[in-house]
Amino acid sequence: FSGLAGNSGGEGGKSEVYRHFTQMDATTGNYATMAILMAMLAREKTGKGQRIDLTMVEAATAVQASRIGEYLATGEQPALMGSGTTTVVPSGAFETEDGTWMGLEARTLPQWQALCGVLGLTDLAENPAFNTIAGRVAARDAPSLRGGFPTRRPNLRRRRRRLARCRGAPRKAEEAAGA
């Protein structure tokens, strides 16, 4: 009902039934928890109770707000991207040499450069076109990025410790926005 299944599927493939249907149970529970906590806070401040009205369809719709926004902005069904995202490159599950899968994402320039360093992709790290998320998103299908990152499959299991040091979260909104 929310359209979640229609937005799920492998890159370039067909929509599929979303296999992790229990995600909506957990997501709805998270939204309900937030609503209950806000209601308790309001009661503490005002002395009045609150009514909470939440459906699973509303929670499922909220989860895909960016995909719905894409549709409303363009009038076209957003492309299926598998585990990837329209807003960050690289982001998703990548197959390694030994056939295992690893989820990777680089949002900031230091994360991107560290990830490329661990993977031995200095040519990509040094390319100024890829210094921003916007640059990497725009070049998502460029042969240098497509052929350079997702299809080179180094044995990431051996590099897991070094990859773990690449991660990090922006501390300020402007760091996230400027990445």
Side-chain angles (χ1 to χ4, degrees):
F1 295 118
S2 68
L4 186 64
N7 286 325
S8 177
E11 184 176 350
K14 295 181 180 180
S15 296
E16 60 185 37
V17 173
Y18 193 64
R19 292 173 290 223
H20 307 289
F21 57 88
T22 58
Q23 178 185 354
M24 288 306 98
D25 294 331
T27 299
T28 304
N30 287 337
Y31 278 103
T33 300
M34 288 186 278
I36 291 166
L37 292 173
M38 293 303 293
M40 291 173 67
L41 182 62
R43 184 186 66 193
E44 184 179 302
K45 289 185 176 209
T46 67
K48 295 180 181 181
Q50 303 291 310
R51 180 176 187 269
I52 297 171
D53 182 11
L54 175 67
T55 67
M56 193 175 279
V57 171
E58 291 168 327
T61 302
V63 166
Q64 54 182 342
S66 65
R67 301 307 304 256
I68 293 170
E70 289 174 50
Y71 173 77
L72 293 173
T74 65
E76 297 177 13
Q77 171 70 28
L80 301 177
M81 304 188 74
S83 63
T85 174
T86 58
T87 57
V88 179
V89 172
S91 178
F94 297 93
E95 189 175 8
T96 66
E97 283 177 342
D98 62 5
T100 60
W101 291 82
M102 180 175 276
L104 297 173
E105 181 173 278
R107 289 182 175 264
T108 67
L109 181 57
Q111 288 172 353
W112 168 248
Q113 291 172 334
L115 178 61
C116 287
V118 168
L119 298 177
L121 305 174
T122 54
D123 54 326
L124 296 180
E126 294 170 358
N127 186 332
F130 304 143
N131 281 351
T132 64
I133 289 176
R136 293 190 298 275
V137 168
R140 174 190 311 276
D141 294 322
S144 57
L145 191 58
R146 169 70 65 187
F149 186 76
T151 58
R152 286 191 208 167
R153 298 184 289 192
N155 191 331
L156 296 174
R157 283 184 168 219
R158 290 183 301 182
R159 301 176 187 192
R160 192 171 298 217
R161 284 195 180 124
R162 287 181 61 203
L163 282 168
R165 284 183 260 149
C166 296
R167 66 185 162 150
R171 289 179 287 179
K172 297 177 184 171
E174 61 265 18
E175 289 175 325

Short mmCIF file of all heavy atoms in Angstrom, two decimals, residues 17 20 42 57-58 62 69-70 73 95 102 109 117 130 140 146:
data_model
loop_
_atom_site.label_atom_id
_atom_site.label_comp_id
_atom_site.label_asym_id
_atom_site.label_seq_id
_atom_site.Cartn_x
_atom_site.Cartn_y
_atom_site.Cartn_z
N VAL A 17 8.96 -8.07 -4.54
CA VAL A 17 8.35 -8.02 -3.22
C VAL A 17 9.46 -7.81 -2.22
O VAL A 17 10.48 -8.50 -2.26
CB VAL A 17 7.58 -9.32 -2.91
CG1 VAL A 17 7.09 -9.34 -1.49
CG2 VAL A 17 6.42 -9.47 -3.88
N HIS A 20 12.25 -8.11 3.27
CA HIS A 20 12.41 -7.80 4.68
C HIS A 20 11.17 -7.07 5.19
O HIS A 20 11.22 -5.96 5.68
CB HIS A 20 13.67 -6.98 4.91
CG HIS A 20 14.88 -7.63 4.32
ND1 HIS A 20 15.43 -8.76 4.85
CD2 HIS A 20 15.62 -7.33 3.22
CE1 HIS A 20 16.47 -9.14 4.12
NE2 HIS A 20 16.60 -8.29 3.13
N ALA A 42 5.13 16.16 26.57
CA ALA A 42 4.06 17.16 26.53
C ALA A 42 3.22 17.10 27.81
O ALA A 42 2.86 18.13 28.38
CB ALA A 42 3.18 16.96 25.30
N VAL A 57 1.23 2.05 7.33
CA VAL A 57 1.36 2.66 6.01
C VAL A 57 2.04 4.02 6.12
O VAL A 57 2.90 4.37 5.30
CB VAL A 57 -0.01 2.77 5.31
CG1 VAL A 57 0.09 3.60 4.04
CG2 VAL A 57 -0.55 1.39 4.98
N GLU A 58 1.67 4.81 7.13
CA GLU A 58 2.32 6.11 7.33
C GLU A 58 3.80 5.96 7.62
O GLU A 58 4.62 6.71 7.08
CB GLU A 58 1.63 6.86 8.47
CG GLU A 58 0.23 7.31 8.13
CD GLU A 58 -0.54 7.78 9.36
OE1 GLU A 58 -0.34 7.26 10.47
OE2 GLU A 58 -1.37 8.70 9.18
N ALA A 62 6.88 7.27 5.29
CA ALA A 62 7.91 8.16 5.82
C ALA A 62 9.31 7.64 5.52
O ALA A 62 10.22 8.41 5.22
CB ALA A 62 7.71 8.35 7.32
N GLY A 69 9.75 11.92 -2.96
CA GLY A 69 10.14 13.26 -3.40
C GLY A 69 10.68 13.25 -4.82
O GLY A 69 10.38 14.14 -5.62
N GLU A 70 11.49 12.23 -5.15
CA GLU A 70 12.01 12.10 -6.51
C GLU A 70 10.85 11.98 -7.50
O GLU A 70 10.86 12.62 -8.55
CB GLU A 70 12.89 10.86 -6.63
CG GLU A 70 14.22 10.96 -5.93
CD GLU A 70 14.96 9.64 -6.00
OE1 GLU A 70 15.08 9.07 -7.11
OE2 GLU A 70 15.40 9.16 -4.95
N ALA A 73 9.01 15.27 -7.89
CA ALA A 73 9.80 16.27 -8.60
C ALA A 73 9.89 15.99 -10.09
O ALA A 73 9.95 16.92 -10.91
CB ALA A 73 11.20 16.36 -8.00
N GLU A 95 30.30 -6.85 -3.72
CA GLU A 95 30.83 -8.20 -3.64
C GLU A 95 32.35 -8.15 -3.62
O GLU A 95 32.97 -7.40 -4.37
CB GLU A 95 30.35 -9.03 -4.82
CG GLU A 95 30.70 -10.50 -4.68
CD GLU A 95 30.11 -11.35 -5.79
OE1 GLU A 95 29.56 -10.79 -6.76
OE2 GLU A 95 30.22 -12.58 -5.69
N MET A 102 29.96 -6.82 1.38
CA MET A 102 30.26 -5.86 2.44
C MET A 102 29.57 -4.55 2.13
O MET A 102 29.61 -4.07 1.00
CB MET A 102 31.77 -5.66 2.56
CG MET A 102 32.16 -4.69 3.65
SD MET A 102 33.94 -4.59 3.84
CE MET A 102 34.20 -5.98 4.92
N LEU A 109 34.85 13.78 2.30
CA LEU A 109 36.08 13.65 1.52
C LEU A 109 37.11 12.80 2.28
O LEU A 109 37.72 11.92 1.68
CB LEU A 109 36.64 15.03 1.17
CG LEU A 109 37.92 15.03 0.32
CD1 LEU A 109 37.72 14.27 -0.99
CD2 LEU A 109 38.37 16.45 0.06
N GLY A 117 42.14 4.73 -0.31
CA GLY A 117 43.48 4.33 0.12
C GLY A 117 43.53 2.88 0.55
O GLY A 117 44.43 2.13 0.17
N PHE A 130 35.71 13.61 -8.11
CA PHE A 130 35.10 12.76 -7.10
C PHE A 130 35.28 13.28 -5.68
O PHE A 130 35.05 12.57 -4.71
CB PHE A 130 35.66 11.34 -7.19
CG PHE A 130 35.49 10.71 -8.54
CD1 PHE A 130 36.47 9.88 -9.05
CD2 PHE A 130 34.35 10.94 -9.31
CE1 PHE A 130 36.33 9.29 -10.30
CE2 PHE A 130 34.20 10.35 -10.55
CZ PHE A 130 35.19 9.53 -11.05
N ARG A 140 28.23 8.65 -11.26
CA ARG A 140 27.89 7.28 -10.84
C ARG A 140 28.12 6.26 -11.95
O ARG A 140 28.65 5.18 -11.73
CB ARG A 140 26.43 7.23 -10.42
CG ARG A 140 25.90 5.85 -10.10
CD ARG A 140 24.39 5.83 -9.92
NE ARG A 140 23.87 6.83 -9.03
CZ ARG A 140 23.81 6.72 -7.70
NH1 ARG A 140 24.24 5.64 -7.12
NH2 ARG A 140 23.33 7.70 -6.97
N ARG A 146 32.55 3.62 -12.24
CA ARG A 146 31.86 2.33 -12.34
C ARG A 146 32.88 1.21 -12.45
O ARG A 146 32.82 0.22 -11.74
CB ARG A 146 30.92 2.35 -13.55
CG ARG A 146 30.33 1.05 -13.96
CD ARG A 146 29.32 0.48 -13.06
NE ARG A 146 28.12 1.28 -12.97
CZ ARG A 146 27.17 1.02 -12.11
NH1 ARG A 146 27.28 0.01 -11.30
NH2 ARG A 146 26.11 1.76 -12.04
#
